[in-house]
Amino acid sequence: MEDTRLTRRWIQPWIATSVALVSVGATLNYTSYSLIGQMIQVMAQLAIVLLACWWVDLKKYTWILYLMFFTTFLPLLGVAFGLYQQAPRQVLIYISYFSFSLIYMVVLAENFYSNIDKYVTIWQMVILVILIILLVINRDITLNIGALIQALIEDERDINSRVAMGFNNVNQLGSFSGMLMILSLYQVCKKKYLIISIVSVFFSFVLIMNSGSRTPLLCLTLAALVATFAKLRKTWFGKIIGIATAIVMTIIVGGFLYLVFWGNVDSNLYQAVDEFTSYRVSLCASAMTILSQQANYIFGIGPMSSTNIRGVLDAASRQSVVIDNSIIYYVFSNGIVGAFGVVSFFIYLIKKMNQSGKVMALVVVAYFGMYTMFENSYFAPNSAISILGASLMFMFVRLTFSSRKGTFTDS
């Protein structure tokens, strides 16, 4: 037993280093160094799995089998029975990568659930350093925040004035800046690395405004409401905040899906929501039309990477069609059956994270859950925001199986 503890203590620095390399690779994936980034990410993930898989308490992770049934077992049956004839090889490759990603999440959760602060710090510092490096290289941001806020409110965001700062597009800068802000706010609440974290909050806000991306701002707003509810859940004000937030979320999710499947394209509501969401409604509706022509709603076209899915969409429509919504992505790839499994698993995660007694658990699920409405980022193996968000959620869920649960009196 003592030898085992010594071995684990010796391996911990290597695991922390590998986590840092994963975050570096996942960030570089969205720049011109994407090939290098992907190699770094996968090799570091493999190193973590090989180093630490031996100490995972599998009995604490039987809940993963539910997700694997819908995302791995059923697609394998689909390939075996010829349901996914269009690209069976890509489906098998993606299933393998997806399964490996889940194993990585489990190993990560087991090693950091008792020290989530350390995991947050690694990601925070890596993203901060990379953003500073990109800023030094590009130097194309403006500090005229007032004008940026006005343009954002009035929806007069000129694509030529929005800044990508070395990322492949402006929304990716907004995404990483949003992640830096939520991680820095976590550190501020924990009163750790206060000066760096406070500076990081302001720095990330400036970058978000320069990117012109509204998604991280919406996610941060929801996270703030959820944090307020969690802290004041026993008061009448907290209950009002909780009920209002639940109603708003139901309207956003339900309304979006209704417009995609049954919306009247000529209605003012459809056009207004479509424009506000940067035409995600009409693009997702086009994807569903293609799905009905290429395969079926029940089992989908087959789970594949976003790149392969986009290739299918572009070939069928002869124009660029992008699915920037996780639910619609799973309907398109895994069908209604698979999407139901994934969504119900997410609801389970919300329930378990609520049981963790940690305010930050609910903040994490609110932020990353809302993000899935605007990007394909829910358990996407090669998505940085998915790697960070899913791993944190797994850690908080693992916490519910230990004696370290909180009572919402701490963060």
Side-chain angles (χ1 to χ4, degrees):
M1 182 66 70
E2 187 64 28
D3 290 342
T4 301
R5 290 178 180 176
L6 288 173
T7 303
R8 292 191 67 174
R9 194 177 303 128
W10 178 81
I11 287 177
Q12 285 305 310
W14 295 99
I15 295 177
T17 302
S18 298
V19 169
L21 289 174
V22 169
S23 54
V24 168
T27 307
L28 292 179
N29 275 343
Y30 296 87
T31 68
S32 57
Y33 303 99
S34 59
L35 182 59
I36 296 175
Q38 190 166 5
M39 290 176 61
I40 293 174
Q41 174 193 320
V42 174
M43 293 303 293
Q45 287 177 315
L46 182 60
I48 291 172
V49 171
L50 293 177
L51 284 170
C53 66
W54 319 104
W55 296 287
V56 175
D57 186 353
L58 295 177
K59 294 180 181 179
K60 307 294 185 182
Y61 297 95
T62 54
W63 43 277
I64 293 292
L65 297 176
Y66 180 84
L67 179 63
M68 294 191 69
F69 174 79
F70 288 98
T71 58
T72 302
F73 181 70
L74 286 183
L76 282 175
L77 287 181
V79 173
F81 287 99
L83 289 176
Y84 303 134
Q85 295 182 354
Q86 190 167 22
R89 183 179 178 183
Q90 284 85 350
V91 171
L92 290 174
I93 292 173
Y94 185 79
I95 291 173
S96 302
Y97 189 26
F98 189 93
S99 300
F100 168 73
S101 178
L102 285 182
I103 294 171
Y104 165 74
M105 297 294 179
V106 168
V107 173
L108 210 57
E110 185 68 16
N111 278 271
F112 284 98
Y113 80 91
S114 59
N115 195 1
I116 297 177
D117 295 355
K118 181 179 180 180
Y119 184 73
V120 168
T121 301
I122 293 172
W123 270 89
Q124 178 199 20
M125 296 305 172
V126 168
I127 294 177
L128 176 61
V129 169
I130 291 178
L131 288 178
I132 290 175
I133 292 173
L134 290 175
L135 174 62
V136 171
I137 293 173
N138 293 276
R139 301 180 185 179
D140 51 0
I141 70 168
T142 176
L143 296 178
N144 189 358
I145 303 301
L148 294 174
I149 292 176
Q150 183 178 357
L152 201 64
I153 294 174
E154 297 176 356
D155 198 19
E156 296 179 353
R157 301 170 298 163
D158 183 4
I159 190 63
N160 295 318
S161 63
R162 297 174 67 183
V163 175
M165 209 177 77
F167 288 95
N168 293 330
N169 63 60
V170 293
N171 289 327
Q172 290 169 1
L173 172 60
S175 174
F176 280 92
S177 301
M179 283 191 282
L180 176 61
M181 179 173 283
I182 199 73
L183 294 173
S184 299
L185 288 172
Y186 177 98
Q187 299 283 54
V188 171
C189 292
K190 288 284 188 176
K191 298 180 181 179
K192 294 188 175 183
Y193 306 100
L194 268 178
I195 295 178
I196 293 177
S197 296
I198 291 173
V199 171
S200 296
V201 169
F202 287 101
F203 177 55
S204 57
F205 178 73
V206 171
L207 294 184
I208 290 172
M209 298 311 300
N210 274 269
S211 73
S213 179
R214 293 174 297 195
T215 300
L217 296 176
L218 289 172
C219 295
L220 287 165
T221 301
L222 176 65
L225 290 173
V226 169
T228 303
F229 160 70
K231 281 289 189 181
L232 305 174
R233 60 193 298 151
K234 293 184 179 180
T235 67
W236 64 269
F237 180 71
K239 292 178 181 178
I240 291 175
I241 293 293
I243 293 172
T245 302
I247 292 174
V248 170
M249 281 299 299
T250 302
I251 292 174
I252 291 175
V253 177
F256 183 90
L257 295 177
Y258 175 82
L259 290 176
V260 168
F261 287 100
W262 302 287
N264 180 4
V265 296
D266 297 320
S267 69
N268 293 331
L269 176 63
Y270 185 99
Q271 294 176 7
V273 174
D274 192 34
E275 184 176 355
F276 179 78
T277 59
S278 301
Y279 305 102
R280 285 176 171 83
V281 174
S282 56
L283 288 171
C284 288
S286 298
M288 291 300 95
T289 301
I290 294 171
L291 176 61
S292 65
Q293 297 169 349
Q294 299 278 330
N296 61 77
Y297 283 114
I298 305 299
F299 298 106
I301 204 164
M304 292 182 279
S305 67
S306 298
T307 302
N308 288 328
I309 290 289
R310 186 167 183 175
V312 172
L313 291 170
D314 291 350
S317 63
R318 297 180 182 177
Q319 59 181 342
S320 181
V321 177
V322 182
I323 302 178
D324 279 335
N325 177 277
S326 296
I327 297 176
I328 299 301
Y329 170 82
Y330 274 103
V331 172
F332 188 87
S333 60
N334 294 64
I336 293 176
V337 174
F340 167 79
V342 171
V343 171
S344 56
F345 181 77
F346 185 71
I347 294 173
Y348 169 81
L349 290 182
I350 295 175
K351 177 184 175 183
K352 296 298 292 183
M353 292 176 76
N354 184 50
Q355 292 176 2
S356 73
K358 299 288 187 180
V359 173
M360 282 308 301
L362 295 183
V363 169
V364 165
V365 77
Y367 183 88
F368 293 103
M370 172 61 84
Y371 221 100
T372 64
M373 289 301 299
F374 299 97
E375 301 290 342
N376 173 29
S377 58
Y378 183 58
F379 289 122
N382 209 33
S383 165
I385 194 168
S386 174
I387 293 171
L388 176 59
S391 58
L392 284 172
M393 285 189 277
F394 277 30
M395 289 173 199
F396 281 116
V397 172
R398 174 64 178 88
L399 199 63
T400 64
F401 294 96
S402 72
S403 58
R404 301 174 63 90
K405 291 189 285 186
T407 58
F408 290 104
T409 57
D410 56 0
S411 54

